Amino acid sequence: MTWNKTRKAIGLLAGMALMAGLAGCRIHVDKGANGEDKNVQVDTPFGGVHVNTNQTSAADLGLPVYPGAQQVADDDKHKSADVHLGFGEWELRVRAVSYETADTEDQVATFYKKALGRYGDVITCHGNTPVGTPVKTTEGLTCEEDKNNNVHIDHEDYGTSKNGVELKAGSKRHQHVVGFESPKEGKTRFALVALDLPAGMDKDSDKSD
């Protein structure tokens, strides 16, 4: 998870709330053992932002852990993140957890293609290009970035390499993703991600929620 981006967004929201003089605006930050921001909550009368780090597991995302894989921290020393933004009926949630294993990327991909099957069709993407078939899930999810909405989540927001391999299942609004990062110290690194995007994301899909 790109914690720096999230932290900047939270700071901007908090600043806007304070500048606007919103009554009832509340900002709460829990520090970790090393003084880093661990949990952040920004609440206003209109909604808020909640961020929790290092408390999310594969099970929370509805996916199994690859046998023998270990959680691994990103550059910001966070192994996982749960980001929830809610303003009235508009809600966005991104949950991600990173792992590494000595097994190959192909072995991990084979395992998660089967695991993702519980959410429907599974597509394989190399960057924004589909690999093999299917190229689109029954619910309308593709490898292409959707540019027809006000929400833009890209690979780097949850730690996946820009042109890396991703496995995806679900719809444009509710996605489960397994994204591979660049190998490090001879080990395969991957992120398990659950995306719940605002209503209206599936308006051009073959099937609605």
Side-chain angles (χ1 to χ4, degrees), residues 72 100-103 182-189:
V72 60
E100 70 175 12
T101 175
D103 288 349
S182 299
K184 190 172 184 179
E185 298 179 351
K187 294 186 177 182
T188 299
R189 287 196 168 197

Side-chain angles (χ1 to χ4, degrees), residues 144-160:
E144 297 179 1
E145 294 182 359
D146 192 337
K147 302 182 185 302
N148 298 317
N149 56 74
N150 294 322
V151 177
H152 183 81
I153 301 289
D154 62 31
H155 308 271
E156 296 178 355
D157 286 326
Y158 47 79
T160 302

Side-chain angles (χ1 to χ4, degrees), residues 1-8 74 76 78 81 83 154-160:
M1 170 63 63
T2 308
W3 175 244
N4 283 333
K5 291 184 180 180
T6 303
R7 183 164 51 194
K8 289 178 181 177
D74 61 13
D76 295 311
H78 294 105
V83 181
D154 62 31
H155 308 271
E156 296 178 355
D157 286 326
Y158 47 79
T160 302

Side-chain angles (χ1 to χ4, degrees), residues 162-191:
K162 183 176 181 180
N163 294 313
V165 172
E166 287 189 335
L167 308 176
K168 295 184 176 183
S171 65
K172 290 182 180 179
R173 186 180 178 194
H174 300 295
Q175 305 177 27
H176 279 83
V177 180
V178 178
F180 292 91
E181 306 171 27
S182 299
K184 190 172 184 179
E185 298 179 351
K187 294 186 177 182
T188 299
R189 287 196 168 197
F190 58 96

